[in-house]
Amino acid sequence: MDRAVVKQPLAIEEDVHNEFRMHTKLMLTELGKFQSKQDKDGSIRRTLQPISKTICAFLNTDGGRLFLGVNDDKMIKGITMSKNMIYHFFGSLRHMCEKFKPYSPISRIRVSILEVISMDDKTKVKLKKVDMDKEEVSDFPKLANHSVGGFFCDCFKEINQAATKQYLFIVQVAAPDADSPTIIYQNEEGLAYRRRLASNKCVYLDDLRRMMNERNRVFVDLHDEVRHEIDRFIKFH
């Protein structure tokens, strides 16, 4: 099955295993100056957080899923992208993972891409699996090179063109192997994060001690029973 109709809003909550985002900015270097603001005390605060923080937190906790294209109200809106911009995302993802320490976690990450198709019934949305190998008439010629790791690439010029569509990205981060030594990952900023409730917390020395003590703890996801609408369509391994 390559299509499914999903009810809105999603029956999934943001928690230790799930997070919603409406952007695809993976690293801090991909954020522009307009994505931060100065507070009254003079400090600079980010208005957009890089996705690498959440991926790092999932790696260091018990895995999880990032839904890119779902807003805070649990509505699937999708992100406007062209095929070239999707290729750019995968290049940026690999580039980001190569900057993680102690080594790249790319083998623990899987991405599913779904085209978001609006319906007359606003309480539902149609999702269609994307075949990246299949070219369509509206697709732009594939770019030979992408500028990854920065806030601009030539493929971004296609954002206002007819070839763009709305896409939902589901980034699945596998849980650590219980039989392998404990690995604490650091993202491209050199910071380690851990998932707590529905947020990412920077890991400090006391946290590291606690993580070692919890090595064999079993984390229970309380929302498995409400995920059948998407999980019957997207098979995670």
Side-chain angles (χ1 to χ4, degrees):
M1 182 171 61
D2 63 352
R3 296 171 185 261
V5 174
V6 179
K7 291 182 180 179
Q8 300 258 54
L10 289 177
I12 301 174
E13 301 289 341
E14 287 190 287
D15 56 20
V16 69
H17 293 98
N18 296 286
E19 183 163 296
F20 306 146
R21 294 288 186 95
M22 281 299 300
H23 70 86
T24 58
K25 302 296 185 183
L26 291 164
M27 298 184 293
L28 181 63
T29 54
E30 296 179 9
L31 302 179
K33 291 182 178 180
F34 64 91
Q35 287 156 342
S36 63
K37 62 183 296 186
Q38 188 171 17
D39 289 333
K40 292 181 179 180
D41 61 0
S43 61
I44 302 298
R45 176 169 56 86
R46 300 176 193 166
T47 56
L48 206 65
Q49 296 294 330
I51 293 169
S52 66
K53 289 177 61 175
T54 301
I55 291 178
C56 183
F58 283 155
L59 288 166
N60 289 331
T61 312
D62 196 41
R65 294 184 293 190
L66 264 162
F67 294 82
L68 310 182
V70 177
N71 66 17
D72 291 337
D73 296 323
K74 303 189 292 185
M75 303 293 287
I76 300 176
K77 297 296 185 180
I79 296 175
T80 304
M81 301 185 81
S82 66
K83 279 285 188 69
N84 274 319
M85 293 172 72
I86 295 176
Y87 286 122
H88 178 100
F89 174 81
F90 280 106
S92 293
L93 180 63
R94 182 170 294 278
H95 180 68
M96 178 206 74
C97 286
E98 289 173 349
K99 290 185 173 293
F100 270 45
K101 295 177 181 179
Y103 50 77
S104 171
I106 193 70
S107 62
R108 286 178 55 187
I109 298 173
R110 180 185 172 193
V111 181
S112 297
I113 310 172
L114 307 172
E115 181 183 346
V116 179
I117 304 171
S118 300
M119 301 179 65
D120 293 335
D121 183 353
K122 300 303 180 183
T123 64
K124 298 179 182 178
V125 65
K126 184 182 293 183
L127 301 177
K128 176 185 175 183
K129 279 188 175 180
V130 175
D131 185 355
M132 293 299 293
D133 295 325
K134 181 180 179 181
E135 294 187 5
E136 299 179 11
V137 176
S138 60
D139 287 342
F140 275 44
K142 188 175 180 181
L143 290 179
N145 297 293
H146 289 269
S147 178
V148 297
F151 58 86
F152 183 77
C153 176
D154 285 341
C155 68
F156 296 169
K157 297 176 183 177
E158 300 173 6
I159 190 66
N160 296 317
Q161 304 297 327
T164 57
K165 296 179 181 179
Q166 301 301 116
Y167 295 100
L168 169 65
F169 290 71
I170 303 180
V171 182
Q172 172 82 5
V173 180
D177 185 353
D179 296 326
S180 299
T182 300
I183 298 172
I184 307 299
Y185 282 96
Q186 296 171 285
N187 71 351
E188 84 285 355
E189 298 179 73
L191 300 174
Y193 291 91
R194 182 168 169 80
R195 196 76 175 161
R196 289 183 186 168
L197 300 178
S199 62
N200 306 314
K201 301 297 182 182
C202 196
V203 175
Y204 299 101
L205 184 58
D206 287 344
D207 297 306
L208 288 173
R209 294 193 185 101
R210 190 179 304 112
M211 289 170 71
M212 294 303 179
N213 292 333
E214 293 176 349
R215 185 66 183 91
N216 297 318
R217 179 182 173 186
V218 177
F219 289 85
V220 180
D221 191 340
L222 300 179
H223 300 283
D224 282 342
E225 69 277 7
V226 298
R227 290 185 181 157
H228 64 278
E229 288 182 317
I230 281 187
D231 284 351
R232 66 184 173 83
F233 176 54
I234 310 161
K235 302 299 182 182
F236 292 124
H237 302 288

